[in-house]
Amino acid sequence: MKKNFILSDINNLKGVGPQLTKYLKKKKIEKIKDIILSLPYSETDRSKIYKLKDLQVGKIQTVKVLVKKLNFPRIRNLPNKISCEDETGKIEIVYFNSREGYLRKLFLLNKFVIISGKVSYYNNKYQITNPDYVTSLENQEYVVKNIPKYNLTKGINEKKYRNISEQVIGNLPKIVDWLDEKFIKDNKLLNWNECIKKLHNSKEGQNNQSKSFRRIVFDELCANFLTLSENRKRIRINKSPKKFTNKNSELIKKSLPFKLTNDQETVINEINQDLLSDRRMFRIIQGDVGSGKTIVSILSILNVIKSGYQCALMSPTEILAKQHYTLIKKIFKNENFDIEFLTGKTEYKSRNVILTNLISGKIKLLIGTHALFQKKINFQKLGLVIIDEQHKFGVKQRSELAKKGGNECDVLLMSATPIPRTMMMSIYGDMDISKITEKPSKRKKIITLSKPEKKISELWPFIKKQLLNNNQVFWVCPLIEDSAFLDYSSAKEKFKIIDKIFPNKVGLIHGGLKNEEKDKILKSFLQKKISILVTTTVIEVGIDFPNANLIVIENANKFGLAQLHQLRGRVGRGEKQGTCILLFKDGLSKNAIKRIKVLKNSNDGFFIAEEDLKLRGFGDLIGFQQSGVKSFRFADPVIHEDLFKLAEKYVQNLRGYMDQNKYSFLLKLFDRAEIINTSEL
Ligand code: ADP
Ligand code: MG
């Protein structure tokens, strides 16, 4: 068998016709390599030959018996029966829908046969109906052993699948391993061929800590990291350096009501270096909620505009885009360049004006939602794209985005979702990472409390006090309206209740509202015309209300840790003490209790992300599932943390030089090649 054969379609195997191809496809087995990657989940033990007197009903067992009599009834629908025996008893082998000629060849009178199948008991006799295997003594090794058990589907039985998988696993090509012997030995891994055989033919495939399992995990991680590293190479191409001095940003800094933190200054420097360099920037700022990423991005926008380019700033929601627009207009009030706002809802006429002024270069900064990336939107000289809160962007989208701006366009992403250290390379391996861990100095730690839902009435006096002190409150519910199926509270119902207690002070906002309505309500909250905002998670991302310092979250156990931390980050952004109250129903799980503890004890998003990973597993890691980064088939950042580090080091040591001959098979094995989309691979 050749390497390329493994990468070809499954129907190239002997015995795999259109019908079987269809069934295998249901199990996501489309290429021959998928057989290699589909590990057995257990084994069927056919290794012991039982005496008939020792048989156990309901189990799959193997017997060696003498064929005594074949019985083929001439009446339709009656089964064919073969009577057999050993020195301890008798057994009947029963066949439905079988052909006489076939059975006569299989069962020779007065000869011994090996039979393996599920034992039953009927009419005082042991029976095996439609046995899995019948074979002569000479061929018994094929049957009398432990046989790997795969996750099969209708239309494929064990024997059929074995025929396919053994063709592949038994004939693996002798490939030159991409890992050298010393590396394999030093890190207690296995060579590739041996690893694959063991994964299929021993219990190692079922043990995610076994040597061979760890080897395939390592391969999967390498494939992933190499892809990102290649992607990075393709993005970090040459560009002309932007030209600006610090003069302009210093003026803006002076006009701010606060001093930047050290982390903010460091990140601004990192970005400036990128802008001034002759390589395209592809950087993400990872900063906890409220760490002050926005101002950092605003200063880079200024620098890029000053060097004669246009900028685009994209936000995931309209509310957030509008907030940026308002803030930036204010900060740039003394600058005389055009700033425009564009969303999918911008009216046709004004949209056309914007399009014209973009292409002529009159507009220097365009702020908006996904609409910024519509086909028709063309810039005269786009120099920087900034995407806010876009941890949910996948690798593929990121590289497409980078293409959009053309070769001169730098790209800056911002995310308020800290990623656990182990996952950093898997998710952002194609980018440079800037971290803001420090919070603005005057910011106080948010106090987090938990309360059973039935004591909700104890909150009213507390809220009353807040309102008297001129503070504002967010009240978060998981649902927009009551649901017949889910026992969660809804924003609409809660609004009615709270509105009765605090008349004329409560607003309601949720994703079901029209944007104009949303804007109106947010405005009245911002202008303190209302004091309590009942909401769904629409407020989760990015919005800044410095005067809000209490957030109540209902059915808090419905949310993940990272998401709760995000929500909590909506308050305590000003200088006043922020409080977060988590409401729960009774009977919390142990896990839920642990999660509350984590939140109560920490305000550090990076720490919380690590804990979230441990408690919920990486399948739930916020943003990861949606990120489009292919989720791992074998690797688990909790169980295989050391291998994540090892693979990271391994790929870093290649220093961006990937020997395609060596690694292309690996990348194709794990379906990574199409992401980087090279013709050579
Ligand atoms: P995020 O990183 O979550 O996007 P923002 O950029 O929205 O956070 O900043 C949160 C709040 O903190 C804003 O009101 C902003 O004006 C303020 N802020 C930013 N940097 C500082 C700083 N160095 N000192 C004090 N307040 C700051
Ligand atoms: Mg933000």
Side-chain angles (χ1 to χ4, degrees):
M1 195 174 279
K2 291 260 170 62
K3 243 164 46 173
N4 277 343
F5 188 65
I6 287 193
L7 300 170
S8 73
D9 288 341
I10 190 80
N11 61 12
N12 286 330
L13 283 176
K14 265 184 228 133
V16 183
Q19 190 64 29
L20 195 51
T21 305
K22 216 173 84 194
Y23 288 136
L24 287 167
K25 196 169 174 181
K26 274 196 198 134
K27 285 274 132 193
K28 298 218 165 67
I29 296 179
E30 298 183 32
K31 296 200 168 145
I32 297 176
K33 74 170 182 63
D34 296 327
I35 298 278
I36 295 179
L37 298 180
S38 307
L39 302 187
Y41 67 92
S42 172
E43 291 180 329
T44 308
D45 183 359
R46 304 188 193 272
S47 67
K48 192 170 170 239
I49 294 181
Y50 285 85
K51 293 287 173 222
L52 292 180
K53 73 171 172 45
D54 297 329
L55 285 183
Q56 286 161 289
V57 173
K59 290 211 165 162
I60 291 179
Q61 291 180 317
T62 308
V63 294
K64 179 177 140 187
V65 288
L66 201 60
V67 178
K68 292 308 285 183
K69 197 171 142 211
L70 289 87
N71 181 4
F72 299 104
R74 297 296 156 211
I75 304 164
R76 269 185 73 196
N77 292 334
L78 277 189
N80 296 328
K81 287 183 178 172
I82 296 117
S83 308
C84 302
E85 63 179 42
D86 71 1
E87 69 274 19
T88 69
K90 289 186 196 316
I91 190 166
E92 205 153 53
I93 312 302
V94 181
Y95 277 93
F96 290 91
N97 307 321
S98 59
R99 264 177 282 133
E100 182 175 337
Y102 168 74
L103 292 181
R104 282 200 189 280
K105 266 191 221 153
L106 213 53
F107 293 91
L108 300 178
L109 264 184
N110 292 317
K111 292 268 185 196
F112 277 102
V113 283
I114 301 287
I115 301 170
S116 190
K118 192 166 178 179
V119 178
S120 58
Y121 197 76
Y122 185 73
N123 265 350
N124 288 326
K125 247 185 266 166
Y126 284 116
Q127 278 193 348
I128 294 181
T129 306
N130 291 342
D132 303 324
Y133 296 95
V134 177
T135 183
S136 63
L137 295 191
E138 298 90 77
N139 294 326
Q140 64 171 287
E141 286 124 78
Y142 186 70
V143 176
V144 186
K145 63 179 185 187
N146 282 327
I147 293 171
K149 204 163 166 178
Y150 296 91
N151 208 336
L152 301 177
T153 171
K154 181 185 149 257
I156 315 171
N157 60 21
E158 177 182 305
K159 224 158 115 186
K160 239 185 207 161
Y161 191 80
R162 246 187 110 182
N163 168 36
I164 307 168
S165 71
E166 286 182 1
Q167 267 186 70
V168 181
I169 308 302
N171 295 302
L172 291 176
K174 288 230 159 32
I175 58 155
V176 181
D177 207 315
W178 41 93
L179 301 181
D180 63 48
E181 258 176 63
K182 186 170 175 337
F183 184 87
I184 291 175
K185 217 173 133 220
D186 289 353
N187 294 293
K188 300 197 172 63
L189 300 171
L190 278 182
N191 76 46
W192 193 78
N193 275 54
E194 204 181 330
C195 150
I196 301 300
K197 277 187 202 142
K198 280 229 167 105
L199 285 173
H200 286 272
N201 293 322
S202 76
K203 287 211 160 71
E204 292 213 355
Q206 300 151 47
N207 172 6
N208 57 21
Q209 292 286 24
S210 69
K211 262 189 170 185
S212 39
F213 201 97
R214 282 170 58 84
R215 165 69 209 252
I216 200 149
V217 167
F218 185 79
D219 282 356
E220 183 177 43
L221 290 172
C222 276
N224 186 55
F225 295 176
L226 281 168
T227 310
L228 289 166
S229 145
E230 278 299 287
N231 215 21
R232 177 187 158 80
K233 250 191 348 205
R234 282 170 174 73
I235 291 167
R236 298 265 298 162
I237 47 173
N238 287 338
K239 65 147 200 239
S240 355
K242 307 270 172 346
K243 292 190 179 111
F244 56 89
T245 64
N246 280 338
K247 199 180 75 202
N248 304 297
S249 50
E250 287 305 324
L251 275 176
I252 298 285
K253 279 190 210 167
K254 272 191 200 125
S255 73
L256 295 174
F258 49 76
K259 198 173 163 295
L260 294 183
T261 63
N262 291 334
D263 275 5
Q264 282 172 319
E265 292 283 5
T266 309
V267 174
I268 289 170
N269 271 334
E270 287 169 345
I271 294 170
N272 283 348
Q273 304 264 316
D274 285 352
L275 294 174
L276 294 165
S277 88
D278 61 357
R279 288 282 164 119
R280 266 171 85 192
M281 168 166 80
F282 200 48
R283 182 173 289 281
I284 182 153
I285 309 179
Q286 267 219 297
D288 209 342
V289 274
S291 60
K293 297 182 290 292
T294 315
I295 187 64
V296 172
S297 70
I298 292 175
L299 292 175
S300 14
I301 288 173
L302 183 69
N303 286 336
V304 171
I305 293 176
K306 290 291 172 186
S307 48
Y309 289 87
Q310 294 167 297
C311 297
L313 169 59
M314 189 189 102
S315 286
T317 64
E318 253 185 270
I319 299 179
L320 200 54
K322 200 58 181 261
Q323 184 175 301
H324 285 325
Y325 179 69
T326 316
L327 176 70
I328 289 175
K329 279 283 231 193
K330 207 170 100 192
I331 290 184
F332 288 164
K333 61 180 182 296
N334 295 328
E335 303 288 340
N336 56 350
F337 46 71
D338 279 14
I339 304 172
E340 277 301 339
F341 183 71
L342 182 83
T343 71
K345 306 220 169 62
T346 305
E347 276 185 25
Y348 186 76
K349 255 190 185 163
S350 20
R351 193 181 116 110
N352 275 349
V353 177
I354 291 176
L355 294 191
T356 315
N357 289 336
L358 271 179
I359 196 85
S360 77
K362 186 165 179 292
I363 295 172
K364 293 297 175 204
L365 171 58
L366 185 62
I367 300 173
T369 56
H370 277 91
L372 299 197
F373 292 119
Q374 288 162 356
K375 270 209 185 99
K376 279 193 186 151
I377 296 183
N378 292 305
F379 292 78
Q380 186 202 40
K381 203 179 168 194
L382 185 60
L384 174 65
V385 168
I386 298 180
I387 300 190
D388 191 21
E389 304 294 353
Q390 267 304 5
H391 49 278
K392 289 176 181 166
F393 250 43
V395 180
K396 216 170 176 163
Q397 288 160 296
R398 291 204 294 257
S399 64
E400 264 156 30
L401 168 75
K403 276 180 217 150
K404 194 108 197 165
N407 292 357
E408 297 300 322
C409 184
D410 290 305
V411 180
L412 181 65
L413 284 92
M414 300 193 276
S415 168
T417 302
I419 302 284
R421 177 68 198 83
T422 353
M423 301 301 293
M424 214 63 116
M425 179 97 171
S426 337
I427 299 180
Y428 296 133
D430 51 347
M431 317 178 78
D432 291 303
I433 301 172
S434 287
K435 262 186 169 184
I436 307 184
T437 34
E438 190 184 4
K439 299 264 170 77
S441 59
K442 284 183 191 148
R443 189 98 19 102
K444 294 200 177 71
K445 190 171 181 271
I446 299 166
I447 296 172
T448 303
L449 308 164
S450 58
K451 227 176 196 348
E453 207 174 282
K454 56 183 185 220
K455 291 189 181 168
I456 199 168
S457 56
E458 293 176 13
L459 291 183
W460 309 134
F462 182 66
I463 291 179
K464 205 168 179 180
K465 222 168 98 191
Q466 297 288 329
L467 301 198
L468 283 175
N469 285 334
N470 219 358
N471 291 336
Q472 287 177 295
V473 180
F474 284 116
W475 189 290
V476 184
C477 301
L479 300 178
I480 297 180
E481 44 201 323
D482 276 359
S483 150
F485 310 104
L486 297 168
D487 190 16
Y488 297 132
S489 71
S490 74
K492 282 188 181 169
E493 290 308 307
K494 208 40 129 224
F495 170 77
K496 285 184 201 156
I497 294 169
I498 303 177
D499 189 50
K500 276 203 189 109
I501 305 174
F502 301 100
N504 301 322
K505 290 203 183 314
V506 194
L508 170 67
I509 191 167
H510 53 75
L513 293 180
K514 287 217 180 86
N515 288 316
E516 303 85 72
E517 291 173 83
K518 274 191 216 160
D519 280 351
K520 218 171 96 193
I521 293 161
L522 285 175
K523 219 175 201 168
S524 58
F525 192 60
L526 214 52
Q527 295 170 344
K528 300 183 198 168
K529 285 182 188 150
I530 49 173
S531 310
I532 303 174
L533 191 58
V534 179
T535 170
T536 56
T537 51
V538 284
I539 57 137
E540 183 194 339
V541 167
I543 308 181
D544 193 28
F545 291 96
N547 202 52
N549 56 356
L550 171 63
I551 184 165
V552 179
I553 305 171
E554 288 209 55
N555 307 109
N557 47 318
K558 187 196 172 293
F559 303 101
L561 266 186
Q563 200 180 8
L564 288 173
H565 178 64
Q566 280 277 325
L567 286 168
R568 177 170 72 171
R570 298 301 115 225
V571 300
R573 297 189 138 221
E575 283 166 26
K576 288 186 191 169
Q577 175 65 58
T579 306
C580 168
I581 297 176
L582 306 171
L583 288 181
F584 292 96
K585 284 209 183 337
D586 284 342
L588 280 185
S589 69
K590 264 193 188 152
N591 200 292
I593 292 169
K594 269 194 206 153
R595 281 163 47 197
I596 305 171
K597 254 201 186 135
V598 173
L599 272 186
K600 279 186 176 174
N601 293 336
S602 174
N603 262 290
D604 175 353
F606 286 91
F607 171 76
I608 288 168
E610 302 282 348
E611 294 302 304
D612 204 21
L613 178 65
K614 279 186 221 151
L615 290 172
R616 299 213 306 170
F618 96 106
D620 285 328
L621 194 65
I622 197 169
F624 188 80
Q625 275 171 330
Q626 304 97 314
S627 75
V629 177
K630 288 211 174 181
S631 49
F632 295 116
R633 187 165 185 159
F634 304 105
D636 181 312
V638 179
I639 299 164
H640 305 117
E641 194 184 345
D642 61 324
L643 292 174
F644 275 75
K645 286 184 192 156
L646 188 66
E648 190 173 329
K649 227 166 85 192
Y650 180 86
V651 172
Q652 274 165 2
N653 281 342
L654 298 176
R655 290 178 202 289
Y657 175 74
M658 185 177 86
D659 180 347
Q660 302 218 333
N661 277 333
K662 203 163 157 186
Y663 296 106
S664 77
F665 178 68
L666 176 66
L667 294 189
K668 285 182 181 166
L669 198 60
F670 288 102
D671 294 319
R672 265 23 188 225
E674 93 261 12
I675 296 182
I676 52 182
N677 203 3
T678 54
S679 47
E680 312 95 284
L681 281 172

